[in-house]
Amino acid sequence: MIYHLIDTKKYNVFEHSDSENVWIDFRKYTPNNTNAVVKDMINSDDFLRTVIKYHNPNKNKLFHVFRLYRESESVFITDGALNMFPSLDERLYFAVQTAKWCLQNHQMTTSDVVWFLNHSGHFNLKNKTSNESELLVIGYKQMGLTQCNCGQLDSALSYEIRKIKNGDTIDKNAKIIVVNDINEGNSIIKAFLLNGWYGTGFLIGADVHVVMNSRSNLEMNKETLNLLENK
């Protein structure tokens, strides 16, 4: 069963169901043959607290991934919705686990690129983010999953720009982008959605599929479920 969590006290929405779906106030929700939990008309904080309470028995580090796509282009961004100021260890964990998910679900190959964002196209010892992104590249390369690099967003999304700026020989645009904090990630995601891109958001780490899109983007919930179910 797919449970769509809503807040009937705050929004003008009503509980109902069909053969595969139940729309239920989050205060009443308890797992019952749950295959997926979907954020509907409900605040993110209330939704996340419910998911963590019922669907993280192993106390995994949950994190949010957003797949942005337009025509033949697609990129995964993490984490712009759940973890506010992740540590280096956490950002490396997000990168590795997202790459594993993408590889298992045929969304990327080992020749694709994981990208750690920073402010500049060159290393700057005086800049904390620049230092951290270089360390994350070293840490990720030790995992041996895919290719990786670090730098600015335009370089991540355009091999041609990257080649002009620093002569990079990796001839692919980034497939996974790991942001530095929730402010950066959320701003990037919203900017793309406002400029003609589509997005499907979900959590990795729970014991069921978890769909988490913005309340302004709920029309993508079904497509997100299809992505998670490999349809």
Side-chain angles (χ1 to χ4, degrees):
M1 188 64 70
I2 300 168
Y3 286 89
H4 303 253
L5 302 190
I6 58 178
D7 187 343
T8 57
K9 293 183 178 180
K10 186 167 184 178
Y11 300 100
N12 187 28
V13 290
F14 304 94
E15 295 182 328
H16 61 286
S17 63
D18 59 30
S19 59
E20 296 181 350
N21 301 271
V22 175
W23 283 260
I24 186 171
D25 188 275
F26 75 97
R27 301 169 188 86
K28 298 180 182 179
Y29 173 74
T30 55
N32 183 14
N33 296 320
T34 305
N35 296 319
V37 180
V38 180
K39 179 191 170 193
D40 206 282
M41 290 302 294
I42 179 177
N43 287 354
S44 295
D45 289 350
D46 291 324
F47 177 77
L48 289 168
R49 277 192 288 268
T50 305
V51 170
I52 290 169
K53 178 180 179 181
Y54 291 111
H55 293 295
N56 190 21
N58 297 323
K59 308 299 181 185
N60 294 330
K61 185 66 177 179
L62 305 184
F63 63 99
H64 186 266
V65 179
F66 214 90
R67 177 180 179 256
L68 291 163
Y69 66 95
R70 181 182 64 181
E71 298 177 350
S72 62
E73 300 174 273
S74 69
V75 61
F76 292 81
I77 296 181
T78 187
D79 178 331
L82 176 53
N83 297 281
M84 290 193 291
F85 301 104
S87 65
L88 279 175
D89 286 348
E90 288 171 328
R91 275 180 274 167
L92 183 58
Y93 178 78
F94 301 161
V96 171
Q97 295 303 316
T98 305
K100 285 182 178 179
W101 188 93
C102 286
L103 289 167
Q104 291 168 359
N105 290 277
H106 310 294
Q107 296 294 319
M108 68 185 297
T109 69
T110 54
S111 65
D112 281 314
V113 183
V114 169
W115 193 275
F116 299 97
L117 281 187
N118 68 34
H119 77 296
S120 176
H122 60 273
F123 178 67
N124 183 346
L125 186 62
K126 296 180 179 180
N127 185 280
K128 177 176 179 287
T129 305
S130 181
N131 282 269
E132 289 184 346
S133 65
E134 294 287 345
L135 289 172
L136 286 166
V137 168
I138 293 170
Y140 187 86
K141 285 182 176 179
Q142 292 175 346
M143 305 293 182
L145 293 175
T146 67
Q147 298 192 82
C148 70
N149 209 330
C150 63
Q152 296 166 299
L153 182 62
D154 59 347
S155 295
L157 296 178
S158 171
Y159 163 61
E160 293 301 323
I161 290 176
R162 191 159 71 247
K163 185 167 59 174
I164 291 168
K165 285 187 173 183
N166 56 18
D168 199 328
T169 58
I170 300 176
D171 61 350
K172 283 192 171 186
N173 298 341
K175 181 61 68 172
I176 296 170
I177 294 175
V178 182
V179 303
N180 294 292
D181 60 49
I182 197 170
N183 301 302
E184 181 178 69
N186 200 268
S187 297
I188 290 171
I189 290 166
K190 292 297 196 297
F192 273 78
L193 294 177
L194 288 169
N195 282 278
W197 289 64
Y198 298 95
T200 53
F202 57 96
L203 299 187
I204 289 180
D207 63 1
V208 296
H209 293 319
V210 179
V211 173
M212 187 176 170
N213 290 304
S214 169
R215 290 187 299 279
S216 63
N217 198 39
L218 296 181
E219 68 275 7
M220 299 306 297
N221 282 349
K222 181 62 176 177
E223 186 159 345
T224 310
L225 276 170
N226 289 339
L227 173 69
L228 296 177
E229 295 170 353
N230 291 311
K231 290 184 180 179

